[in-house]
Amino acid sequence: MRHISNISIPFWMRGLELFSNYHLAAALKVDPDNNAGELVVTIPSEAAHLVAEGTALRVGIEFSLEQPQGGIHFVVPPKEGTYAERGVHMFTYGHQNSSRLWFPCVDSFAETCTWKLEFTVDEEMTAVSNGDLIEICVETYHYSLNIPTCAPNISLAVGPFEIFVDPYMHEVTHFCLPNLLPLLKVTTRYMHEAFEFYEETLSNRYPYSCYKQVFVDETHEDFRSYATMSILSVNLLHSAVIIDQVYLTRRAMAQAIAEQFYGCFISMQNWSDMWLNKGISQYLCGLYCKKSFGNNEYREMIQSTLLDVVKYEEEFGGIVLDPSQPPAPLPVGANTPQTSQKTSEEKFYFFNKEPPHHVSNFLTNSYHWQQTRLSKNWKWPVGSHINQYKCLYLRQFFTVTGKDMAVFIDQWVRTGGHAKFHLTSVFNRKNTIELEIRQDATTSLGIRKYVGPLLVTLQELDGTFKHNLQIENTVVKADITCHSKSRRNKKKKIPLCTERSVDMDLSAMDDSPVLWIRLDPEMTLLRSVVIEQPDYQWQYQLRHERDVTAQMEAIVALERYPTPPTRLALTDTIENEQSYYKVRCRAAHCLTKVANAMVANWAGPPAMLAIFRKLFGSFAAPHIIRQNSFQNFQHYYLQKTIPLAMAGLRNTHGICPPEVIRFLLDLFKYNDNSKNRHSDNYYRAALVEALGNTVTPVVSVVSQGTPITAENLSADTKLILEEITRLLNLEKALPCYKYTVSVACLHAIRKLQKFGHLPSRPHLFKSYAAYGHFIDVRLAALECLVDFVKADGKWEDLQHVLDILENDPDPGLRHKLAALLIKNPPFKKAHRGRLDIPELVDRIWTSINCMLSHDTRLRCDLVDLYHTLYVKPSAPKPIPFLSDIKRAKSPTSISRDGPQPILMDTVECMNIEVVASEDKVKEEEIIDKKLLHQNQNRSISLIILFLCQEWVKVVR
Amino acid sequence: MDQQVNMYRKMLAAAVSSILLEHGFDTVEKECLGTLTEMIQAFISEVGNQSKNYCELSGRSEPLIADVVLGFVDMGFNFNSLDSYVKSGKHSVLPTLQTQQPQKQLSMLPAGTKQPLPSHIPQHLPQFPDPHAYVRTPTHKQPIIDYESVREKAAIQKKDIEKALTKFLAKTSPTHNLFDTDESNIFPLIACKPAYPPYLSALLPPGSDFRSRGLGL
């Protein structure tokens, strides 16, 4: 074992492969949906006649659970006082179906029954559980849930809660930990709107008789919905002076409520149906967000989600939402290799980290959704069996709309990957524009060929014109005759697609009457788009196209054109009060890059300095910032963003210009929040972050190896450090909301260490990472620690991190720490890193195999980590061969030593991440396009997007 | 004026005393000395007056020695015996007069430059007293109230307070050091200590409640 040679590296890879098989086998053995389980009840012979007669046989299970490792989490702050004073509480948690961890049950979403629940608790405690509270007699809470519900949707929370009945909806009750009642009232002020919105949208009443929100500490995830109640993180609470958190919290609460409808009331039959519930609930929540936060916010969210999904798929392979069936066999030849195989592989995935498959599910959902919503014929499926599964959906859908969705589902739900279009255009003198749309990279990871209609929008001088193109091949050419004649000299207003007309300065144009081109502007497809058009067209698009997604695309594209007109367009966008604030912020960051690229001939003060002074400088003395007043929401975000963007500026020497540092220090100096109704904690955190971003690698005068002391710091660094230490120290006496400033300070200190201004030491981060600090601070410290381990860490430092990963009391933190490690691994695989030692591999392997039966999510995280560290990406091998080999193997149990050496030369290494992409369909047929109408596509793709987002979130 | 009289009298008294010593007196009562001094003063003054009168009588403005001799004669004093008296004995020499130092007090009191009298007031009237006696002087500086300096001051004050507070806390509690050497801990970081429950101070930071109360929540 000591000697890890080249041969033994594949050995470990095989380890993961083998692990996945055994893991799958183990999972199937206890899968209630497969008629497998853990509890065998032998019917005594005396009762055998009852079975014979067919009468009911009641089985009672008495059990006690002591010191549970998972399933139930107890939060017990180690301090003096009674339970109530200390805020001691407990709640159930788990990844998907984990109820069997705390009571014996058929832990399947498919098995429903009604429930009667009784909880006896301490006098000062409140027990919150599913259903209606029937009575409280002598410290015993009786709950009854009459709607059939599956075991995974049963939950419990006990604690000295403060109780707040929603003033708008009396059936809703909120619970929070002691002393937090004021925050609870503020946080839940608008929650009833979500209920009203959903009921209105669905034209149906909320199915349950009550709803309870419990805010507890140390949650597994931010929120989790159970039947009639949801358990949310206490960290979602905020006071009225906080701005940023409001949006996150309202979204989380709205999502939890949406899952009451889809997920709790209507649950799923099979894991492969999960995408339906996830998709519909996220789509609903998205609609609510659209209503309360606005269309721009919504479109931007869709776009960023789409980008996330595209990025994920290109890195790890296509996401298949429903792996239960392969896409319908293709008429031509076709590979029908892996039906059963795929299912099981997916199953493995499911248990591991369920998200990937559910990505494509969105399609069906939205389709169905759209139709039902329009026709209003939809009723809640009533009956003893409320599980709604795909067949039902499809049947319903078919009944309502008369359309068959099979093709649609095959294309988007059962197949992973996205389309990638590359558009070029040439204007010829015959007043036509020749478009060429290519799909070149169809063989790359996560990308597949798309066949079907595609919308192209041309903005011409005379207005916006839509063209529906049929994509049938990898290369599609279309000649489109322009509606307008080129007439640059005529002054005329130009109509936009919003039916408004604007004046434009057309001097930059050449002969073409086309101002800009957009592909699939409504984001109906899961696609990535590369459009090539000259920079002035991008500038027009940024200035005049009113769709925020178009503006975002233009900003991204303009990074490649660092010219004075680009600079002007970006500056105008930042200053434009009509623009959406995220566009303005994004433009600021883009301007940083443009300015850096133009550094040689940049004239005048640093970019954005003038804008900032104009917007935020005081009237009498522009160099002094006004007293904070975050009344204008857009300005608040700009005020946070512009310093950050400016901090990224570099002069010809590659360092941050001194005037920018002085500007930032002045912002600290003159920051005055005394007259503000809102807290400036996020703003100050942004300033600290900006200060950290100005730091560039140290130019060493002294020779390497001499210790870094406070005396030989540069003057600027001293100023920066002084500011950071002062703010960090001040947080001890005057903390701010969620310690945002401390978090930013820790990151800045790590940055100073990383760039050689400070000695790189882990002690500070270790102490901040200890249990008992606020979770955000701990996570920031851990992030720094992980970064330190990667750069300079020794084995004991890594051990310290792993100790936290394995033993920390907070399950949510363990998961997030694992994500940090995966994102920033201690060494690169196959680089013979300092920390690449057998002990590490042993430790991870042991954890995966022996330690984490109660926490599947963390196990998956560790598998991911293992994969990141040790598994080489290689071309995926067709699975059937492997499976054959494996079948031949004797079922040795997995020991901590890993697989037996016999397997060494028989099995090729495999990348599990790649396995998912196996589902890529390599040959596709032209699909009947008439089926796919744009509208339907649209809402469907939205749901897909949400699903994908969910997946990406879980993975990241 | 008194000062001068006193000076002359002092000198006269010294002269009388030395004459008395010449004549064999060892002590003298204060009253006697006073009387003798008064007498010699009166005598000298009278001689001076007479001399002046004679001088003016002859149409001059300054007396000559002849006028003085006539003055002595009028007083019935034999001027010639004076000559022999001077030459006769060895008289003790009185110490030369010290030039009186101008009084220190005078220089301490004046503050500022005195105002010249305005033209409508005759110049012989007394001068104005020192300006501080009648000019109203503000006892504090007028605050500068332009926006820029107010903000500047508020910023500096706030920073100083925060600095002082953090410095104090850093001195009175355990700290982290960002550097390896102990002696140069000029950027001490206050050590963090866990607080239970950790979410309470993070979600309800002290000082946040009064602000929200102002918002009517």
Side-chain angles (χ1 to χ4, degrees), chain B residues 193-215:
Chain B
K193 46 177 183 292
Y196 296 100
Y199 57 82
L200 206 55
S201 59
L203 298 177
L204 264 179
S208 69
D209 41 345
F210 71 89
R211 218 183 280 156
S212 52
R213 220 181 300 142
L215 295 170

Side-chain angles (χ1 to χ4, degrees), chain A residues 21 24 113 182 209 214 241 263 324 381 394 513 556 724 798 832 859:
Chain A
N21 286 315
L24 173 63
C113 58
S209 55
V214 192
V241 300
S324 60
L394 296 184
V556 173
I724 291 173
L798 184 55
R832 315 283 309 150
R859 174 184 276 167

Side-chain angles (χ1 to χ4, degrees), chain A residues 409-474:
Chain A
I409 290 188
D410 275 351
Q411 189 175 17
W412 290 113
V413 180
R414 294 181 183 147
T415 313
H418 61 271
K420 182 165 188 165
F421 302 113
H422 191 104
L423 183 141
T424 48
S425 65
V426 180
F427 178 74
N428 68 18
R429 302 288 154 186
K430 287 168 283 178
N431 206 28
T432 49
I433 186 153
E434 295 168 6
L435 292 183
E436 188 183 80
I437 299 171
R438 310 178 67 94
Q439 302 184 62
D440 292 333
T442 47
T443 50
S444 314
L445 196 57
I447 298 176
R448 65 193 184 84
K449 198 172 124 188
Y450 169 76
V451 178
L454 183 66
L455 183 69
V456 176
T457 314
L458 296 185
Q459 173 66 43
E460 298 178 31
L461 290 172
D462 281 353
T464 311
F465 299 98
K466 291 180 177 173
H467 304 276
N468 244 320
L469 302 183
Q470 289 303 333
I471 305 295
E472 302 178 353
N473 254 316
T474 47

Side-chain angles (χ1 to χ4, degrees), chain A residues 574 577 584-585 608-643 646 663 667 670 683, chain B residues 147 151:
Chain A
I574 300 173
E577 292 292 326
R584 296 169 79 180
C585 295
M608 291 174 277
L609 190 58
I611 302 175
F612 190 85
R613 291 202 168 145
K614 199 154 98 190
L615 286 174
F616 305 111
S618 54
F619 181 70
H623 65 281
I624 297 180
I625 187 172
R626 274 197 295 256
Q627 290 179 303
N628 292 337
S629 157
F630 300 150
Q631 295 294 303
N632 185 331
F633 173 80
Q634 308 201 348
H635 282 181
Y636 168 65
Y637 279 98
L638 269 185
Q639 196 177 346
K640 284 198 309 179
T641 305
I642 292 183
M646 287 179 68
F663 163 75
L667 288 185
Y670 295 117
Y683 170 61
Chain B
Y147 184 80
R151 287 295 303 274

Side-chain angles (χ1 to χ4, degrees), chain A residues 16-33:
Chain A
L16 208 49
E17 180 60 23
L18 185 71
F19 170 79
S20 86
N21 286 315
Y22 284 122
H23 188 264
L24 173 63
L28 288 176
K29 263 184 204 157
V30 295
D31 183 2
D33 296 330

